[in-house]
Amino acid sequence: MGRVVARLGGAFEEVGDRADLGVGVAGTGMLSADLDATSGSGDGKPVPTTDVEASDSDQAEQPARRTPGRLLDAAVVAAYALGGCYVTARLWLDIAHRVTADNEQDHVFFQFVLLNAARALTGLDNPLFSTALNAPYGVNMMANTSMLGLSLPLAPITLTLGPTVSLGLALVIGFAGTATAWYFVLRRHVTANRLVAFIAAGFCGFAPGLVSHGNAHPNIVAQFMLPLIVSRVIRLRDTGRPVRDGIMLGLMVTYQLFINEELVLYTAVACLVMVVVYALSRPAQALRSARPFAAGMAVAAGVALALMAYPLWFQFLGPQHYAGPFWWSHMFDMDLASYVAYARESIGGDPAVASRLAANPTEENSFFGWPLCVFAVVTGLVWFRVMAARLAFMVALVFAVLSFGNQIKIDGVQTGVPGPWKLFSGLPLLESVIVTRLALVVTAAVGVLLAVAGERIAGLLASMDDRDSRRKALFIWYGTVAAMLIPVAPTPLPTTTPAPVPAFFADGTWRQYVGDGSVVPVPPQPLPPESMRWLIAAKLEFRLADGYFLGPKSEHDPTPDYGPPRRPTAELLRQVAASGSMPQITDVQRLQAAADLRHWQADVLVLGPHPHADALRKAVDVLIGQPGRETGGVWVWDVRTLR
């Protein structure tokens, strides 16, 4: 064993300077699943892959050599797709009725998002705005994660198979697409070894943070453009065509903005860290690359701004925009202990521990466990001279420190020590950042470190002449990988089956009561989103004076809040729903109810199944001066004559 460790340790220095952004050693031998003929030799020694002209015989053999590699790449993509189906398996068992158990409200919201985009496409409506919610105002969808980059392409699925199927498919695409993109980017910049890239990219695509957001955050799971954007930024360093490459980068950024803007911000900061580290590490090369890099970035910025000018104006200044910080963002602070713990949906996870260290099951953004944390630090330090490792290590360090938030918390205890994020938390845009999500960038950086270590160790193992020593080293390496990654491997997301949508909406009875006005749930409230399930069942064919969305608190207060502006009648009915007691209703409240009905442009009030249904029914009877009618599993009040 001592010989093995000594051999590995002595080789660190030997290979320390063979990399640019990649690592320069082609992993071969027993660890390698496959090695491209153009990536290395059978004895593990590096073979030049550029600036070498192939002979005629070599060129003739290239298609034959390339085919097995392409088949392996296709198998990798298929494996990731199966992984996405595995994580979402419980949804697919009854896709028409099941929702994610840990985040039902967002599951319903994104069903609405998908259906709204599909209807906008077929009706040639503005996809940046929806009149289906929040009557009479509507909802600014550009400010509500409408993820048009996914919802519009999935419109045919949504229209034919329904939004439940397209949402499940969006999650599978997010997991598999993210892992696939990382696989090809790692193969391009970091490792020639397919097995190493497969494992590292699989971690990037199915890490605990992404699986956590699989609880109905498809816009965050879908990170497949981010590694491609980073790759394109890296390639700008040596580009001979900054205009063409800048246009490509600008189009990529634009598309990602239509999936999730928050991740674009994090990626931009990560790229800035990489540029600074690279410039400090290799100032002469950075200076030579500065002109094409700056030109390419300028073109990319111009393209993205030109294409996004109107959507961004609509988001920040258009109808029903909101402004100011999210009042709830401070609730999602990072616990340092979460980095070394395991998430509840990981094989090694403990729900009790995870619930103590994370705000909710959808925001378990770190949770790497001790072995992987130690490995990432050791890899970053040992191979710090390798540029890929250096960049990844510094990005991970910066984002891990920033994720500590405004005040450092350890194992549920606020230490009172200010976190570095406090320096930035008051800046525009950054004031609403949910700091725990900064750990998602750490996830990607750890994946790169996995690839660097795997490529280096694969090359070292392949160079060993002593088969016994190589076998022992291989056993140690595989054991290390298993100890790190098996505990963080995902389990299928939990699901639940909500109560069926009342027949009043499912069979179309609502059409007898609704004209050009709105449906007002009793009571109007953003959560739980039962009324949105009614709307989705009716394929968004009526307007709802309710909904789960982000909008201005009122006509006079632009700060963001969930749900519609609060009306006095809605507040009264919410109090009845919470207490279950019938209050003394005054003439003033009845007059206010009539005014609120006119404001909502209400056609019908609907009371679905509720624990305090009797008290709510009596309150509405008194407020509007007429009894309700029970039909299709709900109570209804036809108020068209009252407005």
Side-chain angles (χ1 to χ4, degrees):
M1 185 67 68
R3 286 189 303 158
V4 175
V5 174
R7 182 69 179 270
L8 290 174
F12 288 158
E13 186 68 24
E14 176 187 346
V15 298
D17 288 323
R18 292 182 189 171
D20 182 9
L21 289 180
V23 293
V25 177
T28 59
M30 299 173 66
L31 182 65
S32 178
D34 177 79
L35 178 63
D36 254 340
T38 57
S39 299
S41 63
D43 61 1
K45 297 178 181 179
V47 173
T49 60
T50 59
D51 300 328
V52 177
E53 294 186 3
S55 66
D56 291 340
S57 60
D58 289 339
Q59 291 175 353
E61 292 177 6
Q62 283 179 0
R65 293 178 178 179
R66 204 176 290 133
T67 300
R70 289 176 175 175
L71 290 175
L72 286 170
D73 290 341
V76 165
V77 176
Y80 291 148
L82 290 174
C85 293
Y86 162 76
V87 174
T88 58
R90 290 171 178 162
L91 283 175
W92 292 107
L93 292 175
D94 189 7
I95 191 66
H97 301 103
R98 291 192 178 185
V99 298
T100 49
D102 290 328
N103 195 357
E104 181 178 347
Q105 62 267 22
D106 282 340
H107 195 107
V108 174
F109 171 77
F110 279 105
Q111 286 183 31
F112 167 81
V113 163
L114 289 158
L115 190 54
N116 183 73
R119 286 182 59 85
L121 187 64
T122 56
L124 300 180
D125 297 326
N126 182 3
L128 307 182
F129 193 80
S130 175
T131 58
L133 299 178
N134 193 30
Y137 301 112
V139 173
N140 188 322
M141 295 302 296
M142 190 62 198
N144 273 272
T145 58
S146 55
M147 63 169 196
L148 294 172
L150 284 176
S151 56
L152 289 177
L154 287 172
I157 303 295
T158 304
L159 293 171
T160 55
L161 301 179
T164 56
V165 174
S166 54
L167 178 53
L169 187 57
L171 290 170
V172 172
I173 290 172
F175 285 120
T178 301
T180 298
W182 274 113
Y183 172 78
F184 286 106
V185 167
L186 291 175
R187 287 266 297 147
R188 180 180 183 89
H189 294 291
V190 180
T191 177
N193 188 308
R194 281 186 169 85
L195 180 59
V196 170
F198 173 72
I199 293 172
F203 170 77
C204 291
F206 296 91
L210 270 78
V211 173
S212 169
H213 284 286
N215 288 293
H217 281 173
N219 60 318
I220 294 180
V221 173
Q223 298 186 18
F224 48 82
M225 287 305 302
L226 303 183
L228 302 180
I229 289 172
V230 172
S231 175
R232 183 62 61 172
V233 170
I234 292 171
R235 292 165 65 184
L236 284 180
R237 175 195 56 171
D238 299 318
T239 183
R241 291 175 285 189
V243 174
R244 187 206 66 169
D245 290 344
I247 290 173
M248 289 296 299
L249 178 59
L251 292 175
M252 289 179 175
V253 171
T254 300
Y255 180 67
Q256 176 59 43
L257 284 167
F258 280 117
I259 297 177
N260 184 274
E261 297 174 15
E262 181 181 7
L263 296 177
V264 174
L265 174 63
Y266 302 162
T267 304
V269 176
C271 288
L272 176 61
V273 173
M274 292 171 60
V275 169
V276 171
V277 172
Y278 184 82
L280 293 176
S281 302
R282 297 180 177 173
Q285 294 181 23
L287 188 60
R288 287 196 300 270
S289 303
R291 185 171 180 177
F293 182 84
M297 290 298 293
V299 171
V303 169
L305 288 174
L307 294 174
M308 290 299 299
Y310 177 72
L312 290 177
W313 172 88
F314 198 95
Q315 174 179 346
F316 292 107
L317 297 174
Q320 289 300 293
H321 72 276
Y322 51 81
F326 297 144
W327 55 264
W328 58 89
S329 61
H330 71 278
M331 299 166 56
F332 297 94
D333 53 353
M334 171 66 75
D335 193 312
L336 268 66
S338 68
Y339 274 102
V340 297
Y342 293 115
R344 74 191 71 204
E345 298 308 325
S346 294
I347 288 177
D350 183 344
V353 173
S355 62
R356 188 180 74 246
L357 300 178
N360 60 52
T362 312
E363 296 293 345
E364 296 176 4
N365 295 293
S366 48
F367 292 88
F368 301 130
W370 273 110
L372 190 54
C373 286
V374 171
F375 178 85
V377 172
V378 170
T379 297
L381 295 177
V382 168
W383 283 298
F384 193 75
R385 295 178 64 185
V386 177
M387 185 57 67
R390 184 180 309 178
L391 295 175
F393 182 74
M394 294 307 298
V395 167
L397 180 63
V398 168
F399 275 83
V401 170
L402 290 177
S403 74
F404 297 168
N406 291 336
Q407 184 178 151
I408 295 177
K409 182 169 71 172
I410 304 176
D411 201 17
V413 177
Q414 293 287 0
T415 63
V417 178
W421 184 253
K422 196 173 183 65
L423 299 172
F424 310 100
S425 60
L427 299 177
L429 296 181
L430 301 184
E431 60 189 358
S432 297
V433 165
I434 297 175
V435 293
T436 65
R437 294 182 182 176
L438 298 175
L440 294 173
V441 181
V442 181
T443 294
V446 170
V448 175
L449 290 171
L450 277 169
V452 170
E455 171 75 358
R456 288 278 160 167
I457 292 175
L460 294 173
L461 290 174
S463 67
M464 287 183 174
D465 298 325
D466 187 338
R467 295 182 62 183
D468 184 57
S469 297
R470 183 167 58 185
R471 191 177 297 111
K472 290 178 181 178
L474 186 66
F475 177 80
I476 295 172
W477 172 239
Y478 271 129
T480 302
V481 172
M484 293 186 302
L485 297 185
I486 289 178
V488 300
T491 59
L493 294 168
T495 61
T496 187
T497 302
V501 173
F504 180 80
F505 295 101
D507 64 14
T509 305
W510 62 270
R511 298 179 189 277
Q512 302 173 20
Y513 295 84
V514 182
D516 61 349
S518 71
V519 173
V520 180
V522 178
Q525 57 185 17
L527 294 173
E530 285 302 308
S531 60
M532 288 185 64
R533 295 180 60 235
W534 303 345
L535 183 64
I536 291 167
K539 299 182 179 179
L540 311 192
E541 292 183 3
F542 61 78
R543 293 189 298 150
L544 187 68
D546 193 7
Y548 174 58
F549 60 90
L550 282 172
K553 191 170 287 187
S554 71
E555 295 178 350
H556 311 291
D557 185 354
T559 56
D561 201 3
Y562 284 111
R566 304 183 180 222
R567 303 291 298 182
T569 302
E571 291 299 299
L572 173 63
L573 293 174
R574 288 176 190 172
Q575 293 172 15
V576 175
S579 66
S581 60
M582 169 68 178
Q584 184 68 36
I585 293 177
T586 66
D587 290 339
V588 172
Q589 289 170 320
R590 283 192 285 269
L591 290 172
Q592 182 63 56
D596 288 340
L597 291 175
R598 288 191 295 271
H599 170 80
W600 287 319
Q601 301 172 0
D603 277 353
V604 63
L605 275 70
V606 180
L607 170 60
H610 194 281
H612 299 144
D614 287 343
L616 286 166
R617 178 174 55 81
K618 293 175 183 177
V620 175
D621 285 348
V622 175
L623 278 171
I624 68 173
Q626 66 182 49
R629 176 188 176 191
E630 188 175 15
T631 179
V634 298
W635 283 87
V636 299
W637 290 263
D638 188 339
V639 295
R640 284 174 287 186
T641 59
L642 301 182
R643 68 178 182 91

